[in-house]
Amino acid sequence: MNPTREPDLGTPASISEESVEVEIDGLPARVKAGSTILRAARESGVDIPKLCATDSLKPFGSCRLCLVEIDGRSGYPASCTTPVEPGMKIHTQTEALARLRRNVMELYISDHPLDCLTCSANGDCELQDVAGAVGLREVRYGFDGENHLDADIDTSNPYFSFDPSKCIVCSRCVRACDEVQGTFALTIEGRGFASKVSASASESFIDSECVSCGACIQACPTATLMEKSIIDNGQPEHSVLTTCAYCGVGCSFRADMKGDQVVRMTPWKDGGANHGHSCVKGRFAFGYATHPDRILEPMLRENIHDPWRTVSWEEAIQYTAQRFAGIQEKHGRKAIGGITSSRCSIEEVYVVQKLVRAAFGNNNVDTCARVCHSPTGYGLKQTLGTSAGTQPFGSVQDADVMLLIGANPTDGHPVFASQMKRAMRNGAKLIVMDPRKIDLVRSPHFEAAYHLPLLPGTNVPMINALAQVAIKERLIDEEYVRERCDVESFDAWKEQILRPENSPEMVAEISGVPADDIRGAAKLYASANNAAIYYGLGVSEHSQGSTMVMGMANLAMATGNLGRSGVGISPLRGQNNVQGSCDMGSFPHELPGYRPVQDDEVRGKFESLWGVKIDAEPGYRIPNMFDAAIAGDFKGMYIQGEDVAQSDPDTQHVEEALSGLECLVVQDLFLNETAKFAHVFLPGTTFLEKNGTFINAERRINRVRPVMKPRQGMDEWRITQELSRAMGYPMDYEDEAEVMDEIAVLTPTFAGVSFKLLDEAGSIQWPCNEKAPLGTPIMHVGSFVRGKGLFIETDYVPTKERTSRKFPLLLTTGRTLTQYNVGAQTRRTPNTVWYKEDLLEIHPHDAETRGINDGERVSLTSRKGDITLEAKITARVQPGVVYTTFHDPETGANVVTTEYSDWATSCPEYKVTAVQVAPAIHRSHWQEGFEKRTKEQEKLLETS
Ligand code: SF4
Ligand code: SF4
Ligand code: SF4
Ligand code: FES
C-alpha cells in the first residue's frame, strides 16, 4: 500500500466503552465490545483480507474475502458483518479459508485488466494487495469469455476519471456517496454479471448529480475511480498534514506529495471537523497556488497610473515605511491603518494587528469579518459571554431538531452539510429559515420539516414570533432559565415578545410566511429534547444582524438549548480563519482575546510585553476608514489578503476611497481589484506555503503546515515584521511558534496553546488553559461564560432599504458550491467548469412580467448603481426576490449593494437591496469603466 495511505481498519469503530476477551489465531486479544471481527482482528494486528469493507462505511458483506472460521459455528462467516462475542475463538488463516479466498480472487481477476505495471494505481491498489495476500498465482478461466475489459472510460469530470473495466462492483463508491456525502449520485445498475456502477441515470459524471466531493474515489479499492492528478503525475511519496484554506469548516487534509509537488489532497480521517470527508474545493481546487497569474516579486509605483516596477523586498519595505511615515508626519498618527485577512494564519493576523498598534501607533485595524460575522461576535458576547459558536460540528448527531437560518450549507459549508444529512437520515428534523428554496429544503432524499421562506430583512420579527409561540405554548424551560439566566432580563424579554406585533399572524403579514408554519416550526424547535441552531451570513449581514444573533440566543436560552451536545448556536463561518482573525485582536476596539483596548489593565499587559504605549482610543472600522479617506483624513492602508474593491458593499464608494489614498499597500496572491488602486504590491503566500494555525467555526485551532517554501521568497509574517522594523518598532520572532507562544502569554483563552500541544493533540478547541488543558469542545456547560445568561430585547426596526415603484424587488446574495468568496482562488482552477459567471436568479412570474427569458442578459439596478448579468429563471427564489453571487469581479455585484449596515457592528446589509430588473440594452457604466481600468492595469503590468 502507498505510504501516504492511512491504515484502513475495515469497519467503523465501535462506540461501546466495554471490552471483551476473544482469541484470534490462538492468541488472546481484548477488543471493544460491538466491534466486528474484521475490525477487532485488524486492531490486534491481524490483517484479514477484505475488499468490500472500509472503515468509513457500514459493513456490507458482499465480496466474501474476509471469511473466517469460528469454533463452535458452522460455515465461514464474513468477519466484516459478524460482531465479536466474549470467549469467541476465531481462525483467520486456515487451508479452507485460503482456498475459498483464492477462488473468489480468481473470479475477480478473470474480469480485470492485467496491466498492473502500467496502471496508475500500481502500489496503491487493494485488489493488487489482496491478490498477493491470498497467494493468487494463476487464473484458470482465461480472459476469452464475456467480460468488461473494453468498457469506455468516463473522463468528463475535470478532477477524476472512471474506468469501469477495473470495477469489481464492490459498491464502496455507491455507499460512500450515500453514507458519507449524502448525495446519492451513484447506483449499481443491472443484475449479476451485467451489474455496473452508474452515475445518476447512466449519465457521465459531469452531467450527473455528483458534486465532486471525492468520497467515492477515496473509497474505491481499485483504479476505477482515480484522481487525474495521480494518473498524470504518479503515486505520491510522502504526506504533510494541513488544513483547507477555504471555508470555516476547517477540514484537515493530508497533502500527498511527490517531491515538492502536491499530487493529491486527501481528507484526514482523524480531522476533528471533517473526519475524512471533503468537498470539491478543498479536495481538488488547490491548483491556484502554482497558477501563472501569481505575482512573485514585490512591485511599486509612485502613482496608480504608472507602470509597476519590480523591486527587491528590501526596497519595497523601505519604500512603504517611508511613505507611511511621511503620511503620518503630514496628516497625523491616525491617518494610516491596516486590514487583516481571514485567509491568513492567526500568527500572520496577530503580527499585522501588532504592527498597527505598536508601529503605526493607533488602533486603525479591522478585518474582513467586519463584513461577515461581526454581529456574531457582538450578539453572542452580550448574551452568553463569548464571541464564538458553542458546539463542535459532531454535536449535530445528537440534535433532534436543527434550525438552519440564513445559511446554505450544501454550497457554503459542504462537509458540514453532509453531517446534517447524516443526522436527518438518523431521524433529526430540519427547519429551514431562508428566502430561497435551498437544496436542504427538498431533494430526492431529504426534506425539511418546515421551510420558512421569509422576505429578506424580516429575520428579527420571525425569531420573535417563534419565541412568542414557545412562550404561549408553555414550552419555556423555566427551571433552566431560573438556574442559569438573569431572570429579570428574562421577564423583560418575555413581556416584549408577548406584544401583539410578535404574533405569528402579524409576522406572517410582514414576512410572507403563513402563521401556521411559523407556529409549527416554533413548536417543533421548542419541544425537542435537543434543538440546535446553525446560521450563516443570512443572519449577520443585515441592519439588525446583531439583534437577530441576540434573538437566537434568547430563544435557545429560554428553551434550555445551550450547554450540552446536540444543542447550541453555531455560526457557519465563511472563511477558514474568520474565528481566528477575530480572536487575534483584529477589531479596532479589541486587543487579542476580545479585550477592550480602553481597559487600562488589559492594555498595560500588552504594553509591558510589547514595550510600547498603546493608544487607548478605538480606531477606525473599515467603513470609517473609507469615509475618512473620502473626507481626506485617512491616507495610507496596508491590506493583507482582502479584496475590498470587490467584496465590500457600494463598490463606487469603495473605489472613491481607495483612489484618495496616498499609499495603498496590497499584500496578496494576485493583482486583484483592490491592487488597481495600490502603490505597493507585496506578494503573499498560499496555505501550501504557510506554517501556523487556522481557527475554524467550532473554535478549533488546526495546524497548517508548509509543503513548499514561500514561492515569492518570504513568509507573510516576516514581511509584516520587516515593515514594522523599518517603521521603527522592531519585532524579532524567530518563527511562527514564537508568535503563538506570545499569543498564549497574552490571551487567557489561549494560555495552554502551543505548536507542540497542537502537534500532539491534532487540534484543540479554545478556551485552552489551566482549567481546560485539552480545550473546550462545548461552551457554557453548567453555566454561561458571562455568569448568568442575559436576555436582550429584540424590537424589530425595519431596514431603511425599502422597495418602491422604481425598485420593486429585493436582491439577496450568497455563494455557490464550486466558487469561493471573490473567486480569486477558485476562478483559477478547473472549478470554472461548473461556473461561468454570476447569474441572477429570478422567479418565473417576475421574469414573465418583465419580458425576460432564461439565459438573457438583464440589467440589475439599485439606488447605488447598475450592472448587467445573465438571468436564470427559477422557482428557487420566491416572487419579489432575486438572488446572485459575488464571485466574479466583472459582474460587480457589490456595485448595487448599499451603505446600510448593522447598527452595532457596521456589518454591511448585503442581504437586502431594493432593485429593478429589466432586459439589458447595453453594458452598465460601471462595467465599462471596469473593463477600461482592467485593460489599463494589464498594460501597466506588461510595461513594468
Ligand atoms: S468503482 Fe470502485 S468502489 Fe465503485 S464498485 Fe467499482 S471498484 Fe468498487
Ligand atoms: S464525487 Fe462525491 S458526489 Fe460525486 S459520485 Fe463521488 S461520492 Fe458522490
Ligand atoms: S467544507 Fe470547507 S473546509 Fe472542508 S474541504 Fe470544503 S471548503 Fe475546505
Ligand atoms: S470485506 Fe467482508 S464480505 Fe467483503
Side-chain angles (χ1 to χ4, degrees):
M1 193 50 64
N2 185 280
T4 63
R5 281 279 173 207
E6 292 182 71
D8 182 353
L9 297 174
T11 57
S14 157
I15 51 164
S16 170
E17 311 236 305
E18 320 262 290
S19 63
V20 296
E21 192 84 42
V22 296
E23 193 183 285
I24 305 175
D25 294 336
L27 293 173
R30 180 151 281 281
V31 298
K32 265 193 168 184
S35 293
T36 62
I37 293 175
L38 179 64
R39 172 112 194 175
R42 288 200 164 209
E43 281 179 351
S44 312
V46 177
D47 263 4
I48 302 173
K50 64 164 189 69
L51 275 176
C52 69
T54 184
D55 58 12
S56 58
L57 303 173
K58 286 185 212 144
F60 193 56
S62 71
C63 74
R64 312 305 292 165
L65 267 161
C66 67
L67 309 181
V68 290
E69 291 182 49
I70 302 170
D71 283 0
R73 287 215 194 159
S74 59
Y76 305 95
S79 64
C80 67
T81 51
T82 312
V84 289
E85 282 172 21
M88 210 176 222
K89 288 192 168 58
I90 302 152
H91 305 278
T92 72
Q93 305 293 343
T94 66
E95 259 183 45
L97 289 172
R99 200 173 46 252
L100 282 168
R101 288 175 187 153
R102 264 198 303 275
N103 288 346
V104 173
M105 273 313 285
E106 203 178 344
L107 284 169
Y108 277 128
I109 298 298
S110 69
D111 188 15
H112 194 87
L114 292 183
D115 61 354
C116 284
L117 282 183
T118 51
C119 176
S120 46
N122 188 17
D124 188 22
C125 172
E126 286 186 46
L127 191 71
Q128 188 182 40
D129 291 348
V130 175
V134 304
L136 186 71
R137 298 287 173 263
E138 58 169 344
V139 176
R140 286 167 292 171
Y141 311 114
F143 295 89
D144 298 336
E146 204 182 341
N147 60 45
H148 299 88
L149 300 180
D150 295 324
D152 290 339
I153 303 178
D154 176 356
T155 57
S156 60
N157 188 290
Y159 294 117
F160 61 87
S161 71
F162 172 64
D163 178 355
S165 73
K166 294 182 173 162
C167 181
I168 57 171
V169 203
C170 65
S171 177
R172 272 164 64 163
C173 54
V174 178
R175 290 178 285 137
C177 195
D178 298 356
E179 292 175 29
V180 180
Q181 165 57 22
T183 291
F184 297 81
L186 302 177
T187 45
I188 301 285
E189 198 182 85
R191 307 189 68 139
F193 182 78
S195 56
K196 61 172 191 180
V197 172
S198 162
S200 295
S202 287
E203 285 163 293
S204 64
F205 268 83
I206 198 76
D207 295 326
S208 71
E209 296 154 89
C210 167
V211 291
S212 300
C213 72
C216 55
I217 306 162
Q218 201 116 312
C220 182
T222 67
T224 313
L225 282 159
M226 194 80 188
E227 296 92 349
K228 287 182 177 172
S229 58
I230 298 292
I231 297 171
D232 293 344
N233 301 299
Q235 289 291 329
E237 296 148 351
H238 67 281
S239 290
V240 179
L241 207 52
T242 190
T243 306
C244 178
Y246 286 115
C247 86
V249 177
C251 295
S252 298
F253 279 88
R254 294 156 69 95
D256 293 337
M257 310 286 301
K258 192 163 185 175
D260 64 354
Q261 189 189 4
V262 183
V263 292
R264 176 172 62 200
M265 294 293 286
T266 311
W268 186 36
K269 283 186 190 176
D270 287 337
N274 58 320
H275 311 284
H277 191 36
S278 58
C279 82
V280 59
K281 294 188 283 286
R283 178 76 152 91
F284 296 115
F286 54 88
Y288 68 89
T290 49
H291 194 279
D293 283 357
R294 260 189 80 182
I295 305 290
L296 298 174
E297 287 172 296
M299 302 190 300
L300 52 86
R301 56 186 178 181
E302 291 294 319
N303 184 294
I304 61 169
H305 301 293
D306 291 343
W308 283 105
R309 193 158 62 82
T310 301
V311 296
S312 66
W313 277 108
E314 170 68 17
E315 186 179 345
I317 284 163
Q318 288 304 330
Y319 178 86
T320 306
Q322 278 161 18
R323 292 282 295 251
F324 279 166
I327 290 172
Q328 286 192 304
E329 215 170 282
K330 200 161 125 207
H331 301 280
R333 183 169 49 91
K334 300 193 176 177
I336 62 172
I339 300 183
T340 69
S341 169
S342 297
R343 283 199 290 279
C344 287
S345 69
I346 73 166
E347 293 74 14
E348 289 164 341
V349 167
Y350 178 85
V351 174
V352 171
Q353 63 84 33
K354 186 172 174 180
L355 165 88
V356 172
R357 295 196 156 104
F360 292 5
N362 61 45
N363 286 304
N364 290 338
V365 61
D366 209 351
T367 182
C368 43
R370 169 72 53 217
V371 299
C372 68
H373 263 294
S374 48
T376 289
Y378 179 87
L380 295 183
K381 177 106 184 223
Q382 297 299 310
T383 48
L384 313 178
T386 299
S387 299
T390 62
Q391 309 297 116
F393 289 130
S395 151
V396 74
Q397 301 310 330
D398 292 325
D400 301 303
V401 172
M402 301 172 284
L403 172 54
L404 179 68
I405 310 179
N408 182 9
T410 50
D411 283 39
H413 303 85
V415 165
F416 180 62
S418 294
Q419 297 180 17
M420 292 181 84
K421 289 187 209 168
R422 175 138 53 96
M424 285 167 87
R425 285 201 300 280
N426 293 334
K429 297 269 186 291
L430 175 68
I431 303 164
V432 176
M433 191 195 290
D434 197 286
R436 282 170 82 226
K437 233 180 252 155
I438 58 169
D439 284 351
L440 285 172
V441 169
R442 182 176 299 141
S443 68
H445 299 275
F446 301 96
E447 185 162 6
Y450 288 96
H451 177 210
L452 311 179
L454 72 182
L455 275 174
T458 59
N459 282 338
V460 170
M462 182 60 73
I463 202 81
N464 288 348
L466 296 182
Q468 188 183 91
V469 175
I471 295 169
K472 287 196 167 166
E473 297 284 335
R474 299 186 185 285
L475 295 170
I476 298 301
D477 189 336
E478 303 280 354
E479 197 186 322
Y480 183 96
V481 171
R482 229 181 10 259
E483 274 177 18
R484 298 195 41 169
C485 303
D486 178 293
V487 176
E488 210 177 298
S489 68
F490 171 75
D491 290 339
W493 170 77
K494 192 168 154 185
E495 203 184 307
Q496 179 238 326
I497 291 296
L498 287 174
R499 282 189 217 133
E501 69 262 27
N502 294 320
S503 71
E505 282 68 22
M506 295 289 278
V507 172
E509 275 180 33
I510 48 174
S511 69
V513 178
D516 282 350
D517 286 356
I518 299 175
R519 213 168 253 116
K523 284 199 257 183
L524 183 61
Y525 172 88
S527 59
N529 285 333
N530 284 338
I533 296 176
Y534 295 94
Y535 71 96
L537 302 180
V539 159
S540 53
E541 290 176 344
H542 286 272
S543 62
Q544 281 204 291
S546 292
T547 315
M548 179 61 183
V549 173
M550 296 188 294
M552 296 184 307
N554 292 337
L555 180 64
M557 284 190 287
T559 52
N561 277 311
L562 281 157
R564 63 182 184 277
S565 188
V567 297
I569 305 177
S570 301
L572 300 175
R573 305 281 192 163
Q575 308 205 53
N576 52 336
N577 198 30
V578 177
Q579 182 70 55
S581 68
C582 298
D583 297 343
M584 286 304 106
S586 291
F587 290 132
H589 66 295
E590 282 171 340
L591 285 155
Y594 304 98
R595 281 160 313 143
V597 74
Q598 298 102 315
D599 186 319
D600 294 344
E601 202 187 321
V602 170
R603 231 175 35 256
K605 283 196 182 125
F606 283 83
E607 286 175 342
S608 72
L609 197 81
W610 291 358
V612 68
K613 263 304 214 206
I614 297 173
D615 194 349
E617 196 191 328
Y620 287 140
R621 295 172 173 181
I622 293 172
N624 306 132
M625 292 185 200
F626 293 154
D627 291 345
I630 290 169
D633 303 329
F634 189 72
K635 294 287 181 183
M637 267 179 115
Y638 173 53
I639 303 183
Q640 184 186 36
E642 190 183 351
D643 191 0
V644 289
Q646 189 183 339
S647 64
D648 285 33
D650 194 358
T651 307
Q652 295 178 83
H653 180 76
V654 176
E655 289 174 348
E656 188 186 346
L658 297 177
S659 312
L661 296 174
E662 286 177 14
C663 182
L664 171 61
V665 181
V666 169
Q667 186 167 316
D668 218 312
L669 303 176
F670 305 103
L671 269 186
N672 55 22
E673 296 316 300
T674 308
K676 288 177 179 165
F677 303 88
H679 304 87
V680 181
F681 188 87
L682 303 175
T685 54
T686 65
F687 77 116
L688 294 172
E689 296 141 82
K690 291 185 196 296
N691 188 20
T693 51
F694 292 149
I695 304 181
N696 77 352
E698 317 158 288
R699 294 168 281 105
R700 187 182 299 280
I701 313 171
N702 273 315
R703 284 282 275 120
V704 46
R705 297 183 179 85
V707 304
M708 56 178 91
K709 293 214 169 81
R711 292 189 61 219
Q712 29 62 303
M714 184 135 32
D715 292 310
E716 287 211 47
W717 64 269
R718 277 188 207 278
I719 302 171
T720 313
Q721 175 162 292
E722 289 307 315
L723 179 58
S724 187
R725 197 193 302 273
M727 291 194 69
Y729 179 78
M731 295 189 213
D732 288 307
Y733 302 110
E734 277 288 314
D735 55 27
E736 300 81 356
E738 251 186 41
V739 181
M740 177 56 92
D741 292 345
E742 182 174 308
I743 293 167
V745 168
L746 286 170
T747 317
T749 40
F750 284 68
V753 181
S754 66
F755 277 20
K756 186 168 172 289
L757 179 66
L758 291 168
D759 290 343
E760 283 163 10
S763 63
I764 294 277
Q765 286 169 272
W766 67 255
C768 170
N769 45 30
E770 245 176 40
K771 275 199 234 153
L774 286 178
T776 312
I778 299 175
M779 298 289 292
H780 315 298
V781 177
S783 64
F784 290 103
V785 170
R786 74 175 299 283
K788 296 282 184 190
L790 185 69
F791 285 83
I792 296 180
E793 290 172 47
T794 50
D795 285 320
Y796 172 47
V797 181
T799 170
K800 290 187 192 133
E801 180 69 357
R802 307 278 168 88
T803 51
S804 62
R805 252 197 310 181
K806 198 166 168 205
F807 302 110
L809 303 170
L810 283 177
L811 168 75
T812 189
T813 59
R815 60 162 83 161
T816 186
L817 168 68
T818 58
Q819 295 298 311
Y820 174 74
N821 207 276
V822 294
Q825 294 142 286
T826 41
R827 279 186 287 106
R828 291 181 171 93
T829 70
N831 276 25
T832 44
V833 165
W834 294 283
Y835 168 87
K836 265 196 320 168
E837 56 180 298
D838 296 314
L839 302 174
L840 185 79
E841 290 187 6
I842 183 165
H843 189 272
H845 173 75
D846 291 328
E848 197 189 332
T849 54
R850 288 166 176 76
I852 292 167
N853 297 313
D854 195 45
E856 213 167 71
R857 283 208 86 73
V858 292
S859 73
L860 176 71
T861 313
S862 76
R863 294 182 182 95
K864 285 289 159 188
D866 67 303
I867 56 172
T868 60
L869 69 178
E870 193 178 305
K872 181 178 172 185
I873 299 178
T874 168
R876 267 167 85 92
V877 285
Q878 52 183 296
V881 175
V882 290
Y883 168 89
T884 190
T885 51
F886 58 99
H887 302 305
D888 199 342
E890 280 165 44
T891 312
N894 280 316
V895 168
V896 298
T897 51
T898 72
E899 76 280 20
Y900 295 127
S901 63
D902 175 44
W903 61 271
T905 66
S906 309
C907 181
E909 190 169 50
Y910 290 107
K911 302 295 182 186
V912 191
T913 307
V915 292
Q916 179 58 292
V917 179
I921 300 165
H922 46 69
R923 297 276 287 163
S924 86
H925 179 62
W926 180 87
Q927 280 163 329
E928 277 167 10
F930 171 88
E931 270 169 28
K932 210 168 127 212
R933 263 199 315 275
T934 305
K935 278 195 191 125
E936 188 193 353
Q937 290 298 322
E938 278 166 5
K939 231 195 209 142
L940 293 177
L941 189 61
E942 275 167 24
T943 51
S944 68

